[in-house]
Amino acid sequence: KLTGPTWCKPGDSRVTPVGRVLRKLHLDELPQLFNVLRGEMSLIGPRPERPEIVARLREQVVGYDRRHAVKPGITGFAQVHLPPDSCLQSVRNKLVYDLFYIRHRAWPMELFI
């Protein structure tokens, strides 16, 4: 309520004990499988970000919208190679990986990811 949407940080006080277990086991990702089945997401692609944060990133990161050329994914090239976003520079780094994936996407690369 006080900060609006923000990225999660290590030791984030907003994470409940149950949420900590769900995240550790990646069970918090299961609902996204329904989005894949509905055709709204892909298994592999740039990770989606919350709309409130996307609005800010569009203004602050040149070319950020280019990652929306493909469906978002449950996991992606940037996610398997880089840590979670924590600042604008980490978003810029992930954008490089996301754009590389978009330019080179093919089933062998998706299998690799």
Side-chain angles (χ1 to χ4, degrees), residues 42-45 75 101 104-113:
S42 178
L43 289 175
I44 310 293
T75 191
Y101 164 77
H104 297 92
R105 72 184 188 137
W107 68 267
M109 183 172 200
E110 296 204 3
L111 198 60
F112 169 74
I113 294 170

Side-chain angles (χ1 to χ4, degrees), residues 2-4 7 10 14-16 18 29-30 36-37 41 49 52 59 64 66 69 80-81 85 95 103 110 113:
L2 300 176
T3 65
W7 288 311
R14 299 173 297 165
V15 180
T16 65
V18 172
E29 303 290 344
L30 280 178
V36 172
L37 294 173
M41 286 182 78
E49 186 56 84
E52 301 87 357
E59 296 172 1
Y64 185 79
R66 293 182 2 205
V80 299
H81 287 91
D85 291 333
L95 180 61
R103 281 191 307 274
E110 296 204 3
I113 294 170

Side-chain angles (χ1 to χ4, degrees), residues 82-99:
L82 298 173
D85 291 333
S86 59
C87 64
L88 281 178
Q89 188 56 48
S90 65
V91 172
R92 289 182 184 103
N93 294 341
K94 279 193 174 177
L95 180 61
V96 171
Y97 280 74
D98 287 337
L99 296 178

Side-chain angles (χ1 to χ4, degrees), residues 46 48-49 54 58 64-71 99 102:
E49 186 56 84
V54 168
R58 281 182 172 143
Y64 185 79
D65 270 337
R66 293 182 2 205
R67 67 192 301 276
H68 296 126
V70 297
K71 287 182 184 178
L99 296 178
I102 291 168

